Amino acid sequence: MDSLQEEIAATAARLVVEEGLEYGGAKRRAVKQLGLPARTALPDNDLVEASVREYIELFCADTQPAELKALRELALVWMQRMQDFRPHLTGAVWRGTATRLSDVYIQLFCDDPKSAEIALIDHHVDYEPQTVTGFRGEPVEALSLGALCRGLGEVVGVHLMIYDHDDLRGALVPDAQGRVPRGSLVALQNLLQEGST
């Protein structure tokens, strides 16, 4: 069973890196591509992330670091613009597994959930409101937009996920491996200065 989980994770990792799929969709598609029954147990996200890191190291080591830096610089711009709403970067751009096909996910912790949307309207930013799954599995409002990423020379999806200010307290608890699942504006600036992945 372990080798099957690893095979699904490796196939999913390829889909994540080459097609920009999210982990859930990549795992389901991997099961289908491998001709496995739909009810096959899926690997956890930690195994998929480890496979993504291996894939990047093997096949993208020459391009991915520059792509990640460009995406982090774009995230920094939007976090600075939205700094009144306690922005925290999350997802592949924060974890260091992003490629040019990855979107930027920024979580905003607002006193008033409508205030971030009003800020975008005031600055004439076109966005699309939608509902996404939050970090506790709950539905969360997101303001999605396309932004030019200068380092990549293309438009990248930026998703501003709206949380209540009180949600920030539990949001910074490290995961099972001791990693912080999201980073503040200062934490991102430190990553960019260090050149960390």
Side-chain angles (χ1 to χ4, degrees):
M1 189 63 173
D2 284 347
S3 64
L4 181 58
Q5 296 276 298
E6 288 171 8
E7 187 175 1
I8 294 168
T11 303
R14 182 181 53 76
L15 294 167
V16 167
V17 175
E18 291 182 2
E19 297 185 26
L21 293 182
E22 295 297 321
Y23 286 8
K27 289 189 276 189
R28 289 187 294 277
R29 198 146 128 215
V31 166
K32 198 179 279 189
Q33 279 188 4
L34 294 168
L36 299 168
R39 292 181 172 259
T40 301
L42 299 175
D44 65 21
N45 286 347
D46 288 341
L47 183 56
V48 174
E49 183 170 330
S51 297
V52 166
R53 288 184 187 284
E54 280 178 34
Y55 191 93
I56 287 170
E57 205 172 291
L58 285 172
F59 300 107
C60 310
D62 54 336
T63 57
Q64 191 266 347
E67 293 172 0
L68 174 62
K69 182 176 185 274
L71 290 166
R72 283 180 170 168
E73 288 170 347
L74 176 63
L76 182 66
V77 167
W78 279 95
M79 289 175 77
Q80 288 169 333
R81 286 181 184 167
M82 305 302 283
Q83 66 185 348
D84 290 346
F85 309 106
R86 301 165 198 86
H88 282 71
L89 181 62
T90 190
V93 178
W94 170 248
R95 290 189 311 269
T97 57
T99 66
R100 70 182 317 110
L101 297 177
S102 301
D103 285 356
V104 174
Y105 292 90
I106 299 170
Q107 296 171 339
L108 305 177
F109 296 89
C110 308
D111 295 319
D112 171 12
K114 286 291 173 198
S115 56
E117 194 168 354
I118 291 167
L120 292 181
I121 292 168
D122 287 348
H123 289 92
H124 309 289
V125 174
D126 290 330
Y127 65 90
E128 183 77 30
Q130 57 183 324
T131 302
V132 298
T133 303
F135 60 82
R136 289 190 195 100
E138 78 287 15
V140 171
E141 184 181 350
L143 310 173
S144 297
L145 53 104
L148 177 63
C149 180
R150 296 197 192 294
L152 297 177
E154 58 192 61
V155 174
V156 170
V158 175
H159 308 280
L160 306 171
M161 301 161 73
I162 311 297
Y163 289 90
D164 188 81
H165 177 250
D166 292 341
D167 292 328
L168 186 55
R169 266 182 267 158
L172 300 176
V173 176
D175 66 12
Q177 279 116 13
R179 299 173 303 187
V180 180
R182 56 197 49 79
S184 67
L185 179 58
V186 172
L188 177 59
Q189 288 169 326
N190 291 340
L191 276 183
L192 282 166
Q193 283 175 348
E194 295 164 8
S196 299
T197 54

